[in-house]
């Protein structure tokens, strides 16, 4: 079980779109092996970037409306939101260094 908070259709607006800091949303499913592989990376990022980046999870099986809204076609899919706007997507499992590079590039 992940230490990252789960976001649902009901809480997405408040926890992601209205967040004061950028939010990285991990669209995942319990049956997805690559999703489980990157979970420790995302948990580490959440700790390392506390105060400057929030990291949350959306279970696409429990929240298909969000998966449809953000056109999740392959998981894991990481979606970076800043001030309520989707600014970057990262699809697939990859090393931490690559995830960090893409986040830093997107956030400037």
């Amino acid at each position: 079980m992940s230490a990252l908070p789960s976001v649902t259709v009901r809480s997405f607006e408040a926890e992601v779109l209205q967040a004061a800091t950028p939010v990285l949303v991990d669209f995942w499913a319990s049956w997805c092996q690559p999703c489980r592989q990157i979970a420790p990376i995302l948990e580490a990022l959440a700790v390392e970037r506390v105060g400057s980046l929030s990291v949350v999870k959306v279970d696409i099986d429990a929240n298909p409306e969000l998966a449809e809204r953000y056109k999740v076609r392959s998981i894991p899919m990481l979606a970076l939101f800043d001030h309520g706007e989707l600014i970057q997507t990262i699809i697939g499992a990859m090393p931490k260094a690559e995830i960090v590079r893409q986040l830093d590039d997107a956030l400037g």
Side-chain angles (χ1 to χ4, degrees), residues 24 40 68:
L24 182 64
E68 182 63 29

Side-chain angles (χ1 to χ4, degrees), residues 62-75:
N63 299 279
E65 303 93 339
L66 289 173
E68 182 63 29
R69 182 184 314 164
Y70 293 103
K71 297 175 178 39
V72 178
R73 301 290 179 251
S74 181
I75 56 173

Side-chain angles (χ1 to χ4, degrees), residues 34-81:
C35 298
R36 290 195 298 268
Q37 289 174 333
I38 68 165
I41 294 171
L42 300 178
E43 290 170 11
L45 273 175
V47 171
E48 293 166 11
R49 304 261 176 130
V50 70
S52 64
L53 177 74
S54 297
V55 183
V56 300
K57 299 179 85 61
V58 171
D59 181 336
I60 64 165
D61 290 332
N63 299 279
E65 303 93 339
L66 289 173
E68 182 63 29
R69 182 184 314 164
Y70 293 103
K71 297 175 178 39
V72 178
R73 301 290 179 251
S74 181
I75 56 173
M77 182 180 114
L78 306 177
L80 180 62
F81 290 83

